[in-house]
Amino acid sequence: MHGDVLSVPDRQFNKVFILGDTGLGGLVGAGRSRSVFMNKGRMTLNEALSEAGSANSVASDPARIFIFRTDLGKPKIFHLDSKSPDVLLLAERFPLQPRDIIFIDRVEGIRWNQIIGQVQPTVNLVRSIQGILN
């Protein structure tokens, strides 16, 4: 009616965040953090993981998927071990809330290899300098 005011909520607040190692792009290590808008304010955990390209089959640990939720009260952490296919049925029934954070952790060996890969150039440089000085 004349004089009515419509209030449309901002879509920016109606999304979830997906962090960690996803299969997005189909490349090893191609996972990147992203946000996904919730259609009509509803989304399940399976839908969000699908939007992210699921867990990276090489670098991620499907047993270590976490959902962080910060309500007005105490923050909550949920854990999903998706190694078992029946758990994915439960993930289809897990409704996400706006601003939830989904984190897909890395396989332990991959993390160790990355640390070594970052330290190795420094070790090589120190050895080179020691070789020059000797």
Side-chain angles (χ1 to χ4, degrees):
M1 295 174 64
H2 180 68
D4 284 353
V5 176
L6 274 175
S7 176
V8 179
D10 190 351
R11 190 175 129 159
Q12 290 296 102
F13 298 109
N14 201 21
K15 60 185 172 180
V16 295
F17 304 95
I18 303 164
L19 310 172
D21 280 298
T22 65
L24 196 62
L27 302 171
V28 175
R32 67 178 203 268
S33 302
R34 66 181 294 202
S35 59
V36 177
F37 288 105
M38 300 173 74
N39 186 22
K40 297 181 183 176
R42 293 184 295 261
M43 179 176 278
T44 67
L45 180 54
N46 271 351
E47 290 172 324
L49 290 173
S50 176
E51 286 284 329
S54 290
N56 182 313
S57 61
V58 175
S60 66
D61 185 352
R64 298 175 50 85
I65 298 175
F66 299 94
I67 299 92
F68 300 96
R69 180 171 291 161
T70 55
D71 292 331
L72 293 176
K74 186 177 181 182
K76 298 175 186 170
I77 301 173
F78 301 93
H79 174 235
L80 175 72
D81 179 351
S82 68
K83 282 186 177 179
S84 174
D86 57 336
V87 171
L88 295 176
L89 293 173
L90 295 174
E92 182 57 31
R93 295 183 181 176
F94 187 88
L96 294 174
Q97 294 180 2
R99 315 303 283 178
D100 277 356
I101 299 169
I102 301 165
F103 178 74
I104 303 171
D105 203 3
R106 301 200 115 181
V107 175
E108 291 298 323
I110 298 285
R111 190 175 310 141
W112 175 252
N113 289 342
Q114 281 185 325
I115 292 168
I116 295 300
Q118 291 173 348
V119 171
Q120 189 65 41
T122 304
V123 171
N124 290 342
L125 178 63
V126 169
R127 284 183 181 164
S128 297
I129 292 172
Q130 284 178 341
I132 293 171
L133 294 176
N134 289 335

